[in-house]
Amino acid sequence: MTEVATRTRDVLKLADEAAPLVDTFGRTISYLRLSVTDRCDLRCTYCMPERMTFLPKRDVLSLEELYALATGFIARGVTKIRITGGEPLVRRDIVDLFTALGRHLDGGGLQELTLTTNATQLAGHAVALYKAGVRRVNISLDTLDRAMFERLTRRDALPQVLQGIAAAKDAGLRVKLNAVALKGVNEDELPDLIAWAHEEGHDATLIEVMPLGDVEEERLDQYLPLNDVRARLEDRWTLTDNAHQSGGPARYVDVAETGGRLGFITPHTSNFCDGCNRLRVTATGQLYPCLGGGERVDLRSALRSDDPQGQLAAALDKTMLIKPERHHFRMDERGAAPHLPRHMSMTGG
Ligand code: SAM
Ligand code: SF4
């Protein structure tokens, strides 16, 4: 019997509705990123084109279905759920989903419920999110310069975003600011952005741009390798590796001069797939076991079948068999088609 077949048999032995999710490379899945909409009120140039085609609303799962899906994952050992999008806070009544899922915290199997947001609507939701059990939020912010923000997101929304960040802090939410490092765009501003985040008491994380979806701009022109950024930061600051784990792919350093923590998400310059504990589900219930792969399992039909629990368990078992070992993003060919046609706004981050 081949090694893969042996591993497959071992995984299948585990297949029941409460068995933990372990893939054929022995990685245990404990983290679900659940997209609740692909829609967004911004149009970040690295994420989507101005004229984006969104999914028909009828294809999107209801909040009840999203809740049922999430609880199915909790039953299989998922302890951390990140609600994402698109922009999750543009979905009507989304706080109801947080409130329902929050009941699984405190001994109900879920250890952390969190979200990734662009913060445009956060000021109006921060207190309710805290009440629902959210304690940490990831906020995407690539620049503190209003004109640059408008150029990057194609919307003049920086004041709202800053209000949202302040409201999160006031509500008691711990904030991590995520910035995509973009060549010739926010490249020179990154140290100031990090210093500001640390001054405000927030962690900061830098991300390498990934070739997902057609975005009008040339990907290679956007791409800034983070090992170059780190070298430049080290000319200015003392960075010391830190073993902190946030449950995601970031590797952290402490910045002695600011007293803050800085993460690097480096799909290109340093692969992080060995420890991958994540699955992603889109707002239409498509499960992607790898952000950088085309493998997909349809959970919506499982959910809408006569035996949702059994079908969902079977779909998750199948996913464990097809989760690839690693992604194979390439960022070295000018004019190349996107590595994958789907945009990051489908699967969230
Ligand atoms: N709208 C929310 C936000 O922006 O925080 C959540 C969804 S957004 C798709 C999640 C994260 O993905 C953001 O931090 C964003 O900067 C990042 N992102 C989007 N497109 C990306 C790309 N092509 N490469 C790398 N990161 C990307
Ligand atoms: Fe919207 Fe987030 Fe994509 Fe920006 S990165 S367009 S905020 S989904």
Side-chain angles (χ1 to χ4, degrees):
M1 198 182 287
T2 65
E3 197 196 331
V4 169
T6 312
R7 282 193 265 119
T8 302
R9 187 203 55 201
D10 290 345
V11 169
L12 282 173
K13 265 200 301 200
L14 289 174
D16 76 56
E17 286 167 24
L21 297 169
V22 182
D23 76 0
T24 60
F25 302 96
R27 296 173 297 192
T28 300
I29 304 302
S30 56
Y31 186 177
L32 170 66
R33 296 199 175 175
L34 180 59
S35 171
V36 295
T37 178
D38 66 324
R39 286 163 200 261
C40 190
D41 51 351
L42 302 182
R43 291 287 183 282
C44 302
T45 49
Y46 52 80
C47 179
M48 58 173 80
E50 171 65 64
R51 287 166 164 272
M52 180 70 174
T53 308
F54 294 111
L55 295 164
K57 282 197 174 156
R58 63 176 181 279
D59 291 348
V60 171
L61 299 184
S62 67
L63 291 182
E64 290 73 19
E65 287 176 317
L66 288 165
Y67 174 74
L69 259 191
T71 53
F73 279 90
I74 296 170
R76 298 295 298 267
V78 162
T79 57
K80 174 169 175 172
I81 297 181
R82 175 175 298 282
I83 301 296
T84 180
E87 174 46 41
L89 298 182
V90 303
R91 176 133 188 199
R92 198 181 321 143
D93 298 329
I94 192 62
V95 171
D96 294 350
L97 180 64
F98 282 97
T99 305
L101 287 175
R103 297 195 188 105
H104 293 265
L105 295 162
D106 293 333
L110 194 59
Q111 288 168 11
E112 185 169 35
L113 176 62
T114 181
L115 82 152
T116 303
T117 176
N118 63 26
T120 57
Q121 320 264 331
L122 191 54
H125 288 99
V127 170
L129 289 169
Y130 188 89
K131 279 193 186 144
V134 176
R135 293 293 175 267
R136 293 196 304 156
V137 291
N138 281 5
I139 297 177
S140 307
L141 179 66
D142 305 313
T143 176
L144 287 168
D145 179 281
R146 189 165 175 173
M148 173 78 80
F149 185 96
E150 185 171 1
R151 177 179 153 207
L152 252 175
T153 67
R154 303 190 182 98
R155 300 292 183 269
D156 178 23
L158 183 64
Q160 279 159 260
V161 168
L162 295 178
Q163 275 171 19
I165 296 173
K169 189 174 168 180
D170 290 347
L173 296 168
R174 195 149 171 71
V175 172
K176 179 158 80 77
L177 291 179
N178 286 339
V180 178
L182 296 160
K183 185 158 71 182
V185 181
N186 61 358
E187 181 171 359
D188 293 336
E189 195 197 331
L190 290 175
D192 290 345
L193 186 60
I194 296 162
W196 180 80
H198 289 172
E199 252 169 58
E200 292 289 314
H202 309 317
D203 285 348
T205 291
L206 304 178
I207 306 172
E208 285 176 344
V209 77
M210 291 172 251
L212 293 171
D214 208 343
V215 290
E216 294 173 13
E217 291 186 3
E218 168 62 51
R219 283 286 182 203
L220 209 52
D221 290 339
Q222 299 177 326
Y223 174 49
L224 183 61
L226 285 184
N227 45 11
D228 292 355
V229 175
R230 182 172 172 155
R232 280 176 66 185
L233 292 174
E234 279 176 326
D235 290 340
R236 173 177 175 148
W237 289 328
T238 315
L239 308 184
T240 314
D241 288 334
N242 174 319
H244 173 74
Q245 291 285 340
S246 59
R251 306 223 167 100
Y252 289 90
V253 297
D254 290 319
V255 183
E257 290 76 3
T258 63
R261 193 157 56 197
L262 174 65
F264 295 91
I265 298 182
T266 52
H268 307 289
T269 54
S270 174
N271 185 273
F272 46 60
C273 301
D274 277 359
C276 185
N277 58 354
R278 294 174 289 290
L279 294 177
R280 293 179 158 81
V281 177
T282 70
T284 57
Q286 304 307 306
L287 192 166
Y288 287 97
C290 177
L291 179 63
E295 301 79 4
R296 175 169 73 115
V297 176
D298 178 18
L299 299 187
R300 187 176 55 181
S301 55
L303 205 58
R304 293 180 179 174
S305 72
D306 292 341
D307 173 23
Q309 228 181 322
Q311 293 283 314
L312 189 58
L316 293 182
D317 292 332
K318 178 178 169 195
T319 308
M320 291 304 93
L321 300 179
I322 63 169
K323 183 170 166 65
E325 185 173 17
R326 51 163 299 169
H327 70 74
H328 293 280
F329 284 134
R330 286 192 58 189
M331 195 67 111
D332 52 6
E333 206 183 321
R334 187 161 290 280
H339 172 75
L340 290 170
R342 76 174 188 265
H343 294 84
M344 188 84 166
S345 52
M346 292 280 292
T347 46

